[in-house]
Amino acid sequence: MSENFHIRKVAVLGAGVMGAQIAAHLVNANVETLLFELPAKEGEPNGNVNKALAGLKKLDPAPAASPAKLTFIRPANYEQHLDLLRDCDLVIEAIAERIDWKSGLYQKVAPYLGERTIFASNTSGLSINKLAEAFPENLRHRFCGIHFFNPPRYMHLVELIPCAGTDAALLNQLEIFLVSGLGKGVVRAKDTPNFIANRIGVFSMLATKHHAAAFNLGFDTVDALTGRYLGRPKSATFRTLDVVGLDVFAHVVNTMRENLTDDPWHKHFELPNWFNRLVDQGALGQKAKRGIYQKIGREIHVLDLHTDTYKLSEGKVDDDVKAILRERDWAKKLQGLRECSHPQAQFLWATFRDVFHYCALQLEHIADNARDLDLAVRWGFGWDSGPFEIWQAAGWQKVVGWIEDERIQGKTMSEARLPKWAVEPARNGVHTPLGSYSPRPSVGEGRGERGGSGSYQQRSQLPVYQRQEFPDRLLGEEASYSETIFETDDVRLWHSGDDIAVLSFKTKMHAISNEVLDGILRAVDEAEAHFHALIIWQTEAPFSAGAHLLQLMQGVQESSDASPAGLFDKLKGAAQRVKYTVAGGGGLGEIVDAATGNVPHVEEVVAKFQQVSLRLRYAQVPTIAAVYGLALGGGCEFSIHCTRIVAALETYIGLVEVGVGVLPAGGGCKEMTLRAAQEAQRLSSDGRGDIFPHLRRYFQQIAMGEVAKSAELARDMGYLKPSDRIVLNQYELLHVAKQEALALTATEYRPPLAPRQIPVAGRPGIATLKAAMINLLEGGFISEHDYNIGCRIAETMCGGDVEAGSMVDEQWLLDLERKNFMELLAMQKTRDRVEFMLKNGKPLRN
């Protein structure tokens, strides 16, 4: 296949749950997409596919990055539109998991495929070679498996499975498209039942079910044990089954039972009577509103096997077991679980032991190497660490000894011995700087050195991976962030020898502390003096969860009383004696009388926030915010002040300060006011458009603390400008940010000129916004404190007590931000919000 071949147009066959969502993610990536379904028996021939498209709008989480994206999916049916397949570069089959149905469809569509069309099945576990037999022999070199995980937009994994005759170059082209075009993590799997992730993930669930029954643990207790404590999704085990669908899980297990008769664990590929009974009753989980769990009113109930009825879900972890699970060191954690006599601890250890055992035996059959197995489980099931990573971190030889001892004692689910490679005395793990272990000897290009009975395989050498300077790292792999320019406890500035400085935060959740502010200011100075550009990029998500709230509220105290309550009492008393004066263009006046001395310090920190935002905006070199994950509050403010934002699709950005009872005061209110004014001027014929309609939208977003649930929505909401970039694969973020920086410097970059005349809505605008809020207050939609905060946001964004159309500058708006922030900070209800956030990690609406 030609290296110039590109996938520009895709057809998805089957508008079921997976097919329709795959189509949605294709249009997320701006790929022209057709969605096929059987023609409706009555009415509009595309009625079935149109119904599926309507259903996408109701799904949560949303499969489309923006509702408007769904309008780009072209509906089609098999009777009228098969000719359209000729122009498709890729056709993805995603119909029900029945070989006879799939075979019939292949025979129907094959004559309509273009001469270079790739045809791929989204089967979750059926044999690719068996499916290929139904495909015309002369086309089989263009046939393969392409297994997306549900939901396709959010799950990083796609398994790529060749059949015996699949063209190698075709697979490479498809992998490039999936990685860079759709933002996926691709793992090449062998053609074995359920491939890699489902094979291991489903076995883990079966082992969990087996040992839960053995130790007489309820479903809710098991879920309390097997979620975030183990670095896995909150849905844990049985709640995940409800989300996936009990019928879907039953199908996957049946596939294992029917096709893995020689598997040493085959006797465990059975579902218990209670499970089959739920399926027979139609209690299939979340989609049926009843499964292992059932929501009754606002309460979550769980099936009790002892009474065969539902009871209130109250799963609790024993305090001693909880202490073990909080241990971060896997060696101490697993040893603690093994040595603890409590049934919960014994259950967890037994499950880990048998999953390790299974992975070691099956590695050579299902995957090319240990890296592929671990990444498949991490990306497909949401684990923070793969099975082999955990085993290696816990001490490889120690765990080998435990497994063998308990196998001999008859405690393991299978009597099979560990493979020879796993018990080699010199083995300390499977992931090393040389690569990851493969039971196969080293062959071909891109392989590492021999390692005992197998080899160590390096990562794929496909050119697309050169765009990932720092791919998702496994235990044992080294990450070198090149040459340090300077480093503090809170930030590190570094470069890779390309004249671009990169700043990374080191604080928890990359929160913005006073020291981070100092670090950014220093980084801008360094970049201007010695580099061509500055990029703010984090080594891992999130970009920034916002201001370091605890430090901001407690660290400003100079007395010995460091409690939030004591601080707020002082703030309240001091603020009552504060007099602000705003002189024409001069900005915020002095604080005349603040007995404690703390209020001025808080104000200094806020002023520094604003200074950082302006330095990022007006730096003499381009500043790029490379954003992935949360970019909230101050993280959002810094991003929108940079020259460019390069955002991963899964970026959640917003000005959420109202959640802690204040307003954005790092330039956020100012910036959105400025953008409203620029929009009004740009969209009017005379350049003097009415700012208020544009301002009202931004006011609502800030007053309601709205967060964009994708980078596309962030663009719709005005946080991203048309010139900002959206990247599908988060691991390409730094590469694209550097390319943006190079493009800007190639044009002899100059910073923008500071606007000296910003039209504001003034008193009429404030009055209109207040009137709208009064209606919400009287209707019970907002609280009185929400109203007070909203009034101050309105005053700030409308330019204060001035006439409509008055011209102000940026400093005027920044002064208003700071003034209103300080006054809100002194209020009791703000104190309550801050204390609640610090204690519970979520906002209080009081």
Side-chain angles (χ1 to χ4, degrees):
M1 181 167 287
S2 168
E3 292 183 3
N4 295 322
F5 177 77
H6 296 286
I7 295 173
R8 296 183 174 90
K9 188 174 183 179
V10 178
V12 179
L13 309 183
V17 173
M18 281 300 290
Q21 290 193 77
I22 291 171
H25 191 59
L26 286 163
V27 293
N28 285 341
N30 293 329
V31 176
E32 188 177 352
T33 303
L34 301 164
L35 181 59
F36 278 78
E37 189 46 271
L38 293 168
K41 294 179 180 179
E42 298 178 356
E44 162 66 35
N46 284 332
N48 289 331
V49 70
N50 287 334
K51 182 179 179 181
L53 291 173
L56 289 176
K57 299 175 184 178
K58 303 174 184 177
L59 291 181
D60 187 21
S66 169
K69 287 286 186 182
L70 296 178
T71 63
F72 292 98
I73 300 175
R74 182 175 176 181
N77 66 76
Y78 300 120
E79 287 191 4
Q80 296 178 308
H81 304 117
L82 288 180
D83 276 332
L84 297 176
L85 295 176
R86 299 187 196 280
D87 296 327
C88 293
D89 304 302
L90 170 64
V91 175
I92 300 173
E93 170 268 303
I95 68 170
E97 291 286 84
R98 283 184 50 171
I99 286 184
D100 55 339
W101 289 3
K102 291 178 185 287
S103 299
L105 180 61
Y106 297 174
Q107 293 164 12
K108 184 171 187 174
V109 303
Y112 297 92
L113 299 178
E115 62 179 20
R116 297 200 303 173
T117 302
I118 302 171
F119 193 97
S121 174
N122 183 56
T123 178
S124 61
L126 298 178
S127 170
I128 298 301
N129 282 296
K130 185 72 174 175
L131 290 173
E133 292 175 5
F135 214 63
E137 188 172 354
N138 65 321
L139 299 180
R140 287 178 193 168
H141 66 287
R142 291 188 270 135
F143 181 81
C144 65
I146 181 174
H147 181 210
F148 289 83
F149 278 67
N150 191 19
R153 170 185 161 186
Y154 301 94
M155 300 306 294
H156 193 57
L157 178 66
V158 171
E159 291 174 318
L160 204 52
I161 315 101
C163 70
T166 304
D167 183 279
L170 174 148
L171 279 180
N172 289 342
Q173 289 294 333
L174 193 50
E175 182 165 350
I176 290 169
F177 169 71
L178 291 168
V179 171
S180 202
L182 298 188
K184 294 303 174 186
V186 172
V187 169
R188 302 272 185 110
K190 297 183 180 181
D191 186 24
T192 56
N194 294 339
F195 312 128
I196 301 175
N198 276 345
R199 182 76 172 270
I200 300 302
V202 169
F203 176 81
S204 175
M205 288 181 164
L206 290 172
T208 300
K209 171 191 66 65
H210 172 81
H211 291 299
F215 289 99
N216 194 30
L217 300 180
F219 299 126
D220 51 346
T221 299
V222 170
D223 281 346
L225 290 163
T226 58
R228 291 310 300 160
Y229 280 123
L230 302 185
R232 300 178 190 175
K234 290 180 181 179
S235 55
T237 303
F238 293 108
R239 280 176 291 173
T240 295
L241 288 181
D242 268 1
V243 172
V244 169
L246 302 191
D247 54 335
V248 174
F249 184 75
H251 168 78
V252 176
V253 173
N254 288 340
T255 299
M256 294 174 70
R257 182 174 62 253
E258 293 170 4
N259 297 286
L260 294 170
T261 54
D262 58 347
D263 190 304
W265 284 264
H266 182 264
K267 66 180 180 180
H268 296 288
F269 301 160
E270 297 284 348
L271 293 169
N273 291 334
W274 64 262
F275 192 101
N276 292 322
R277 189 164 61 252
L278 287 174
V279 173
D280 292 341
Q281 293 171 358
L284 305 179
Q286 184 172 285
K287 58 189 174 186
K289 302 190 186 309
R290 183 168 76 91
I292 297 170
Y293 289 89
Q294 182 178 21
K295 189 173 183 180
I296 301 176
R298 294 188 175 184
E299 296 178 336
I300 303 297
H301 290 240
V302 63
L303 182 65
D304 183 349
L305 293 182
H306 297 293
T307 63
D308 200 27
T309 60
Y310 288 87
K311 66 175 185 179
L312 188 65
S313 177
E314 298 179 309
K316 294 181 180 178
V317 178
D318 174 77
D319 287 342
D320 291 339
V321 176
K322 190 181 295 184
I324 297 171
L325 291 175
R326 284 176 172 161
E327 171 61 57
R328 292 182 178 273
D329 184 331
W330 277 107
K332 295 178 181 178
K333 182 181 289 189
L334 289 190
Q335 182 162 347
L337 291 173
R338 186 172 184 264
E339 294 176 352
C340 178
S341 61
H342 195 282
Q344 292 181 3
Q346 288 298 298
F347 151 75
L348 285 170
W349 159 245
T351 304
F352 273 115
R353 175 199 65 210
D354 287 320
V355 170
F356 295 157
H357 192 186
Y358 191 77
C359 289
L361 262 293
Q362 299 304 333
L363 175 61
E364 65 179 299
H365 304 296
I366 65 175
D368 286 337
N369 54 66
R371 178 193 308 106
D372 288 350
L373 188 148
D374 272 350
L375 289 179
V377 174
R378 279 168 51 169
W379 293 343
F381 280 77
W383 293 18
D384 290 350
S385 302
F388 284 132
E389 286 184 287
I390 297 171
W391 183 348
Q392 181 169 325
W396 189 272
Q397 290 299 326
K398 182 183 291 186
V399 173
V400 165
W402 291 342
I403 294 173
E404 280 299 288
D405 286 347
E406 295 180 22
R407 184 188 65 80
I408 292 169
Q409 296 170 30
K411 293 182 178 181
T412 55
M413 291 171 65
S414 168
E415 298 177 356
R417 291 178 176 271
L418 286 169
K420 290 182 179 180
W421 67 262
V423 298
E424 291 170 345
R427 179 168 300 286
N428 294 317
V430 291
H431 302 304
T432 74
L434 291 174
S436 290
Y437 179 75
S438 170
R440 298 185 304 165
S442 176
V443 291
E445 185 179 357
R447 302 303 187 187
E449 300 177 8
R450 282 295 300 268
S453 58
S455 62
Y456 285 90
Q457 294 187 1
Q458 298 172 5
R459 287 179 177 263
S460 171
Q461 300 300 304
L462 281 178
V464 69
Y465 292 108
Q466 294 176 13
R467 296 168 59 88
Q468 300 184 15
E469 285 191 47
F470 302 99
D472 198 1
R473 195 167 74 252
L474 288 163
L475 179 74
E477 290 185 314
E478 296 177 350
S480 174
Y481 297 105
S482 303
E483 186 173 337
T484 299
I485 302 165
F486 75 80
E487 186 169 11
T488 70
D489 290 341
D490 291 73
V491 303
R492 178 173 180 258
L493 186 69
W494 54 279
H495 72 95
S496 303
D498 50 13
D499 292 325
I500 298 173
V502 181
L503 182 70
S504 302
F505 300 173
K506 296 166 60 179
T507 50
K508 184 177 181 181
M509 296 290 286
H510 303 134
I512 302 165
S513 63
N514 192 42
E515 291 74 19
V516 167
L517 297 176
D518 291 333
I520 298 174
L521 291 172
R522 183 178 171 187
V524 175
D525 289 343
E526 286 280 350
E528 288 180 329
H530 304 295
F531 295 90
H532 292 164
L534 172 67
I535 295 173
I536 302 178
W537 172 84
Q538 314 298 6
T539 58
E540 59 187 3
F543 178 75
S544 175
H548 194 311
L549 194 60
L550 186 60
Q551 185 202 54
L552 181 64
M553 299 309 169
Q554 290 183 312
V556 295
Q557 296 179 86
E558 297 171 0
S559 67
S560 59
D561 180 6
S563 70
L567 168 63
F568 275 100
D569 286 341
K570 291 178 179 179
L571 281 172
K572 186 175 180 181
Q576 289 172 350
R577 297 187 292 275
V578 171
K579 296 179 181 179
Y580 292 97
T581 60
V582 180
L588 187 65
E590 297 180 352
I591 297 175
V592 178
D593 177 20
T596 65
N598 292 320
V599 172
H601 188 71
V602 175
E603 187 197 357
E604 289 166 13
V605 174
V606 176
K608 191 185 292 183
F609 255 91
Q610 296 177 339
Q611 180 191 1
V612 169
S613 292
L614 294 182
R615 281 293 281 136
L616 290 170
R617 167 63 51 80
Y618 299 114
Q620 294 301 309
V621 295
T623 56
I624 314 287
V627 185
Y628 170 55
L630 298 176
L632 303 178
C636 174
E637 288 175 299
F638 289 167
S639 299
I640 61 180
H641 279 87
C642 285
T643 312
R644 288 281 189 278
I645 295 176
V646 176
L649 182 69
E650 299 310 325
T651 292
Y652 312 109
I653 187 168
L655 297 168
V656 297
E657 285 84 349
V658 294
V660 289
V662 293
L663 52 71
C669 290
K670 178 275 302 178
E671 181 62 19
M672 303 320 288
T673 302
L674 176 59
R675 294 190 181 192
Q678 291 170 339
E679 289 171 14
Q681 292 169 351
R682 187 172 61 251
L683 296 176
S684 67
S685 57
D686 60 0
R688 296 186 175 185
D690 182 7
I691 186 178
F692 188 76
H694 307 278
L695 185 74
R696 180 168 48 201
R697 176 169 71 109
Y698 293 134
F699 165 80
Q700 180 177 322
Q701 290 171 188
I702 294 174
M704 300 302 290
E706 295 179 4
V707 176
K709 295 184 179 179
S710 73
E712 287 286 357
L713 283 174
R715 198 194 298 282
D716 293 344
M717 294 169 68
Y719 293 125
L720 266 62
K721 296 175 291 188
S723 57
D724 293 328
R725 307 298 182 196
I726 296 176
V727 179
L728 271 290
N729 196 316
Q730 66 264 32
Y731 298 107
E732 296 183 356
L733 203 57
L734 183 57
H735 169 81
V736 177
K738 287 186 174 183
Q739 296 303 307
E740 279 293 303
L742 292 172
L744 287 164
T745 56
T747 58
E748 291 297 320
Y749 175 77
R750 295 287 185 276
L753 298 174
R756 300 182 62 185
Q757 291 192 322
I758 305 169
V760 293
R763 287 187 293 271
I766 296 172
T768 303
L769 294 175
K770 283 186 175 181
M773 288 188 290
I774 287 173
N775 289 335
L776 293 173
L777 179 62
E778 291 177 349
F781 296 103
I782 62 173
S783 69
E784 242 183 75
H785 196 45
D786 289 329
Y787 174 77
N788 288 331
I789 299 167
C791 288
R792 294 176 185 278
I793 295 171
E795 179 190 346
T796 301
M797 298 186 72
C798 291
D801 187 15
V802 297
E803 294 292 336
S806 295
M807 297 293 181
V808 302
D809 60 11
E810 285 186 295
Q811 192 59 52
W812 179 277
L813 295 172
L814 290 171
D815 292 344
L816 285 170
E817 274 188 359
R818 204 155 70 247
K819 164 187 174 291
N820 283 297
F821 180 92
M822 295 302 299
E823 291 178 358
L824 285 168
L825 195 60
M827 294 181 180
Q828 176 67 37
K829 297 247 176 156
T830 290
R831 162 186 166 173
D832 294 339
R833 289 194 181 192
V834 174
E835 289 181 339
F836 189 87
M837 176 66 79
L838 289 171
K839 183 177 180 180
N840 300 286
K842 56 185 179 181
L844 168 70
R845 283 298 166 95
N846 54 354

